[in-house]
C-alpha cells in the first residue's frame, strides 16, 4: 500500500485599516464633496469604520468631534494621504488596505495493485444510529408600518431618538437598527434635496402617529420564535482479512497555488503606449507606489500599473487592463509594472512492496455535523480567541474539510455574505450564545460531533 500527502497553500485577501493621522490632523481633501461617499453625524468610531469596511467603493474614513461636540464620520472614494492640520482635538484618519492571510489544505490518497492472490477471507459487521433534535430561538425581523407615506411616528426626536444618519440607503438604515440591541425600529425619508435621513428609534408605536410634508418609510423591529431541526448519524464497521500477494504501488501528487507579485516591465522615459481610453481601469493621484500596487492587487481585471511623478510633482497611478503591446518614449520618468502570479508546487512519491499481509481494521466514519442555526443567526463569540481562521472563496464542503483536519475546530459558520463573497469561519466552539447578524447575510452554523471511538488498525507482514 502506498500513501501520498499533498499540501496546497493559498493567499486570501482581507481588508484592514492603517491609521495615517490622529488628533488635530486629517486628509487634505476632507472638504472635497467629489471625493466624499457619506457624511454621518452622532456615530462612534467603530461604526464609522464599519461603514467604510462594507462599502466596496470606500478607500478610507475621517472621524472627528467638531466644536459643537458632535461626532462626525466621512467616508471617501479617494482618501488623500497629504495630511494637513485641523482644529479637532479628537480625530482619526484611516486608510483601507488589503493584507493576505495564508490557508493550507492537506489531502491524502491511497492506491494499490496486487497479483498472484492465493487465499482471502473477509468478515464484516456494520451498525448505525440516527438522532434528530429541534432548537427554538428568537429571531429579529422588521415589519413595515408605513411605506412611502406622509404618516410617521409622532416621537422621532428627543428621548426616543437613538441616532440620526444621512446619506444611507433604506437597507443601510435597517442594518444599523439591526446592529443595535435596543433599536425598536426606524423612520427613513428623502427630504427632496437628494439627502436621505435615517432615524433609529427606541420604539415605534403604530397608534401614535402624525402627518408630515414628505413621504417616508417607517419599520418596526420585533422578535418572533424560529426553530431549526438537525439530524446527525454515525456508522461503524469492522473488517478482518488475510491475503497473500505480491504488490507494488507508486503515487505521485502535485498541487499548486499562486500569490500576486509584480515584475518591472519598463522604466525611465519608455512606457506602454495606451494609458487612456478603454485600456485605463482607474487613475489615482497623490498616492504612493505601494498603494498603487494594492489597488491593482484587489482588482481581478488589473494587468498592471504605470506610476510616475510628473513635472508638477504630482504622483500619478494608472491601473491598466493591458501593459503589453506598443510602447513610446514619454516626457516623464516613470515605471510600468506587470502583475504576475508566483506559483508554489509540491510533489510526493512513495513505493512499497510486500508478499504477505494480514490486516484487522476497525473504522469509524469521518466527523459528522449538527446544524445549530441558519439564516442571519450566528455565534455571538465572533472574533477574539474563539475564531481560528477566516477563509474566503471556499465551498461549504471545503469549509467542512478544513474543520475536519483542524483538531482545534469545534464547528464552523459558512455564508454567502451581502457582498457576494463566500466566507468560512472556523471556531473553537459554536455551542455558546448566539445573536442575529447582518440581515442580508444568509448562512449556516454547524457543530462538529466527534466520534466516540478512534480508528484502530493492526497489520502484520512477511517480506
Amino acid at each position: 500500500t502506498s500513501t501520498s500527502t499533498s499540501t496546497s497553500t493559498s493567499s486570501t485577501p482581507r481588508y484592514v485599516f492603517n491609521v495615517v493621522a490622529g488628533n488635530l490632523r486629517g486628509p487634505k481633501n476632507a472638504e472635497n464633496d467629489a471625493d466624499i461617499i457619506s457624511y454621518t453625524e452622532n456615530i462612534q468610531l467603530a461604526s464609522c469604520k464599519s461603514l467604510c469596511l462594507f462599502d466596496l467603493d470606500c478607500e478610507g474614513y475621517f472621524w472627528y468631534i467638531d466644536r459643537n461636540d458632535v461626532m462626525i464620520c466621512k467616508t471617501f472614494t479617494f482618501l488623500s494621504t497629504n495630511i494637513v492640520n485641523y482644529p479637532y482635538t479628537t480625530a482619526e484618519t484611516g486608510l483601507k488596505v488589503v493584507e493576505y492571510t495564508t490557508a493550507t489544505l492537506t489531502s491524502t490518497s491511497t492506491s494499490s495493485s496486487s497479483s498472484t492472490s492465493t487465499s482471502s477471507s473477509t468478515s464484516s459487521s456494520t451498525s448505525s444510529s440516527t438522532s434528530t433534535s429541534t432548537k427554538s430561538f428568537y429571531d429579529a425581523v422588521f415589519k413595515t408600518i408605513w411605506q412611502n407615506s406622509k404618516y410617521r411616528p409622532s416621537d422621532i426626536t428627543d428621548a426616543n431618538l437613538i441616532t440620526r444618519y444621512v446619506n444611507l440607503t433604506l437597507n443601510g438604515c435597517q442594518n444599523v437598527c439591526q446592529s443595535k440591541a435596543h433599536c425598536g425600529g426606524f423612520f427613513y425619508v428623502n427630504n427632496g434635496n437628494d439627502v436621505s435621513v435615517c432615524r433609529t428609534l427606541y420604539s415605534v408605536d403604530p397608534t401614535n402617529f402624525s402627518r408630515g410634508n414628505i413621504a417616508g418609510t417607517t419599520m418596526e423591529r420585533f422578535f418572533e420564535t424560529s426553530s431549526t431541526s438537525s439530524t446527525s448519524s454515525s456508522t461503524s464497521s469492522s473488517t478482518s482479512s488475510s491475503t497473500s500477494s505480491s504488490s507494488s504501488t507508486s503515487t505521485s501528487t502535485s498541487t499548486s497555488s499562486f500569490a500576486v507579485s509584480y515584475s518591472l516591465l519598463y522604466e525611465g522615459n519608455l512606457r506602454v503606449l495606451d494609458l487612456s481610453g478603454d485600456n485605463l481601469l482607474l487613475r489615482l493621484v497623490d498616492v504612493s507606489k505601494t498603494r498603487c500596487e494594492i489597488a491593482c492587487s484587489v482588482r481581478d481585471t488589473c494587468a498592471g500599473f504605470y506610476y510616475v511623478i510628473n513635472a508638477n510633482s504630482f504622483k500619478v497611478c494608472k491601473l491598466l487592463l493591458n501593459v503589453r503591446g506598443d510602447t513610446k518614449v514619454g516626457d516623464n520618468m516613470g515605471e510600468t509594472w506587470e502583475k504576475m502570479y508566483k506559483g508554489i508546487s509540491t510533489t510526493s512519491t512513495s513505493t512499497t512492496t510486500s508478499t504477505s499481509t494480514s490486516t484487522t481494521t476497525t473504522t469509524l466514519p469521518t466527523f459528522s455535523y449538527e446544524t445549530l442555526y441558519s439564516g442571519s443567526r450566528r455565534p455571538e463569540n465572533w472574533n477574539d480567541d474563539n475564531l481560528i481562521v477566516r477563509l474566503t472563496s471556499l465551498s461549504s464542503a471545503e469549509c467542512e474539510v478544513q474543520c475536519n483536519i483542524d483538531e482545534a475546530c469545534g464547528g464552523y459558520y459558512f455564508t454567502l455574505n451581502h457582498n457576494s463573497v463566500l466566507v468560512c469561519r472556523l471556531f473553537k466552539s459554536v455551542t455558546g450564545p448566539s445573536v442575529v447578524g447582518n440581515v442580508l447575510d444568509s448562512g449556516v452554523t454547524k457543530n462538529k460531533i466527534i466520534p466516540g471511538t478512534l480508528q484502530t488498525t493492526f497489520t502484520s507482514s512477511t517480506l
Side-chain angles (χ1 to χ4, degrees):
T1 301
S2 173
T3 301
S4 64
T5 301
S6 62
T7 302
S8 63
T9 303
S10 61
S11 295
T12 303
R14 70 184 183 99
Y15 290 108
V16 296
F17 288 106
N18 282 345
V19 176
V20 296
N23 300 337
L24 298 174
R25 305 278 283 169
K28 184 177 181 180
N29 65 334
E31 305 299 329
N32 187 355
D33 292 339
D35 295 333
I36 297 175
I37 299 175
S38 66
Y39 170 92
T40 309
E41 296 180 353
N42 298 318
I43 183 171
Q44 298 288 340
L45 175 60
S47 299
C48 181
K49 290 181 178 180
S50 296
L51 286 178
C52 184
L53 184 66
F54 295 111
D55 189 337
L56 295 179
D57 295 325
C58 180
E59 286 200 351
Y61 64 88
F62 179 41
W63 179 88
Y64 60 93
I65 299 178
D66 68 7
R67 294 171 178 172
N68 298 317
D69 291 330
V70 177
M71 292 181 292
I72 295 176
C73 170
K74 294 182 180 181
T75 60
F76 299 83
T77 54
F78 168 70
L79 183 71
S80 174
T81 53
N82 187 358
I83 303 302
V84 297
N85 294 329
Y86 284 94
Y88 310 125
T89 56
T90 302
E92 181 175 301
T93 304
L95 176 65
K96 185 163 67 174
V97 298
V98 64
E99 68 177 21
Y100 290 89
T101 58
T102 301
T104 302
L105 178 63
T106 303
S107 60
T108 302
S109 62
T110 303
S111 62
S112 64
S113 62
S114 62
S115 61
T116 319
S117 178
T118 58
S119 65
S120 176
S121 63
T122 302
S123 63
S124 63
S125 63
T126 302
S127 63
S128 63
S129 63
T130 301
S131 63
T132 302
S133 62
T134 301
K135 294 181 179 293
S136 297
F137 51 88
Y138 288 99
D139 201 3
V141 296
F142 286 87
K143 177 182 178 182
T144 301
I145 305 301
W146 298 289
Q147 183 173 6
N148 295 326
S149 171
K150 292 185 178 181
Y151 290 106
R152 63 183 65 187
S154 296
D155 191 5
I156 60 174
T157 58
D158 303 328
N160 194 40
L161 177 66
I162 301 175
T163 311
R164 177 183 180 271
Y165 304 91
V166 296
N167 292 335
L168 291 183
T169 63
L170 179 62
N171 285 337
C173 186
Q174 180 173 321
N175 288 339
V176 170
C177 183
Q178 179 75 58
S179 66
K180 300 179 182 298
H182 51 276
C183 181
F186 63 87
F187 172 63
Y188 180 85
V189 65
N190 191 309
N191 67 9
N193 297 320
D194 294 327
V195 177
S196 61
V197 179
C198 165
R199 291 181 172 90
T200 57
L201 309 172
Y202 287 104
S203 65
V204 173
D205 184 359
T207 64
N208 183 16
F209 61 90
S210 61
R211 182 180 176 86
N213 296 323
I214 304 175
T217 297
T218 302
M219 301 188 77
E220 180 185 10
R221 182 188 184 193
F222 64 99
F223 293 85
E224 64 179 15
T225 303
S226 303
S227 63
T228 179
S229 297
S230 63
T231 301
S232 62
S233 62
S234 62
T235 302
S236 63
S237 63
S238 176
T239 302
S240 176
S241 64
S242 176
T243 304
S244 174
S245 64
S246 174
S247 62
S248 176
T249 302
S250 178
T251 302
S252 177
T253 303
S254 177
T255 60
S256 298
S257 62
F258 301 91
V260 176
S261 61
Y262 288 86
S263 174
L264 182 61
L265 200 59
Y266 312 114
E267 62 180 335
N269 289 341
L270 184 65
R271 63 168 176 82
V272 62
L273 174 65
D274 191 0
L275 294 178
S276 59
D278 294 337
N279 193 41
L280 179 63
L281 179 62
L282 184 66
R283 180 180 183 270
L284 302 172
V285 295
D286 196 21
V287 298
S288 66
K289 187 169 71 174
T290 299
R291 187 175 174 192
C292 184
E293 181 179 310
I294 291 173
C296 184
S297 297
V298 299
R299 291 169 170 84
D300 292 338
T301 56
C302 180
F305 62 89
Y306 174 68
Y307 186 81
V308 65
I309 301 177
N310 63 21
N312 297 320
S313 298
F314 283 116
K315 300 174 183 178
V316 180
C317 164
K318 292 188 176 183
L319 307 187
L320 305 174
L321 298 174
N322 181 27
V323 293
R324 296 281 182 172
D326 295 336
T327 59
K328 69 170 291 183
V329 176
D331 298 328
N332 299 309
M333 303 291 285
E335 297 176 351
T336 302
W337 291 84
E338 182 178 21
K339 183 194 286 186
M340 308 292 289
Y341 292 91
K342 181 181 179 181
I344 306 170
S345 63
T346 60
T347 303
S348 175
T349 304
S350 176
T351 303
T352 61
T353 302
S354 62
T355 57
S356 177
T357 303
S358 176
T359 302
T360 302
T361 304
T362 301
T363 306
L364 282 172
T366 56
F367 301 103
S368 57
Y369 288 84
E370 174 190 17
T371 300
L372 297 183
Y373 314 111
S374 59
S376 58
R377 183 166 289 275
R378 59 169 175 79
E380 181 181 39
N381 197 351
W382 187 245
N383 295 302
D384 304 327
D385 295 336
N386 191 41
L387 178 66
I388 298 173
V389 68
R390 178 185 182 275
L391 306 171
T392 59
S393 303
L394 297 183
S395 66
S396 59
E398 291 170 329
C399 182
E400 190 167 299
V401 168
Q402 290 289 340
C403 190
N404 282 340
I405 63 179
D406 193 325
E407 293 182 358
C409 181
Y412 65 87
Y413 173 75
F414 177 82
T415 184
L416 176 64
N417 68 16
H418 56 281
N419 292 322
S420 299
V421 177
L422 292 173
V423 179
C424 167
R425 282 182 168 89
L426 305 187
F427 298 100
K428 296 176 183 177
S429 174
V430 294
T431 58
S434 65
V435 295
V436 176
N438 193 316
V439 295
L440 300 180
D441 293 345
S442 180
V444 61
T445 301
K446 291 194 174 185
N447 182 37
K448 184 179 182 181
I449 300 175
I450 302 176
T453 305
L454 299 176
Q455 174 176 303
T456 58
T457 301
F458 173 77
T459 303
S460 62
S461 302
T462 303
L463 300 178

